[in-house]
Amino acid sequence: MPIIRRRGKKLLYAGLAGAGLMGVLMAGGFYVVQNGNVKQFAQERQQYRQRIQDLEAAQLDRLRTMKTAWIPLKDLPAGHFLDRKDLQEVRLPADLSPDNMPLKLEQLTGKGTKIELRKGTPITLAMLYEEEATPPRSKKQGNEIRLVAEQPESEGYRGYTDPVPDRPGLYSSVQKSDR
């Protein structure tokens, strides 16, 4: 039996050596695969960070190029005089916003609207009276309103009736001549 035991021991040692060698090979393989995964993960992480930085920079550029606009908080009728409580500040992309938007809230407050303003519509200076609108006392029915027009410099137009005092070239009526 001692011979069988010796052979058994040799086979046992050979099996253990083979298993150990396979264990070392497997561990090396796992190390190579894991090392590749770590490098790939680090590379993807760097790409994601770069993409996030690019998106943040693009967002900041968009914010810098946005214009401030003012919108009514509710529908406002024509002739309504704007007040701070009627307006809300919003930001619009510069390429989508009108050119004649007011820069400050002070350019809007106290001005009368020429047209009805819908809730959420950006307000432009063209929608407002540049000067004070016709005062309410002159809008009463039966009041006589005198219209005055400036006479164009070109030929073909001539003024008639009363000239406006202290304003050369202004007449109370203008008509096209038949010349």
Side-chain angles (χ1 to χ4, degrees), residues 54-172:
D54 293 345
L55 290 173
E56 287 174 346
Q59 182 71 13
L60 288 174
D61 286 342
R62 267 188 61 216
L63 286 174
R64 281 188 207 110
T65 61
M66 292 184 104
K67 288 186 175 181
T68 301
W70 300 93
I71 60 170
L73 293 172
K74 59 183 179 183
D75 289 348
L76 300 174
H80 179 81
F81 289 94
L82 297 176
D83 191 11
R84 285 182 182 268
K85 66 179 181 190
D86 297 330
L87 304 172
Q88 177 184 3
E89 180 181 358
V90 294
R91 307 277 291 169
L92 296 177
D95 56 342
L96 298 177
S97 61
D99 293 333
N100 59 347
M101 286 193 318
L103 301 175
K104 298 180 181 176
L105 180 62
E106 290 75 28
Q107 291 178 303
L108 295 173
T109 54
K111 299 269 178 124
T113 60
K114 291 181 182 178
I115 60 172
E116 178 182 354
L117 299 178
R118 298 280 183 185
K119 177 182 178 179
T121 302
I123 299 173
T124 63
L125 294 174
M127 296 176 181
L128 306 174
Y129 291 110
E130 288 183 29
E131 298 175 1
E132 185 178 333
T134 307
R137 67 179 184 281
S138 66
K139 292 182 185 177
K140 294 179 185 170
Q141 190 172 11
N143 283 358
E144 182 178 326
I145 298 176
R146 184 174 186 175
L147 299 177
V148 178
E150 187 171 341
Q151 180 181 8
E153 297 295 325
S154 65
E155 290 186 29
Y157 288 89
R158 61 183 170 89
Y160 67 98
T161 69
D162 304 327
V164 177
D166 300 327
R167 299 290 302 265
L170 292 182
Y171 295 88
S172 60

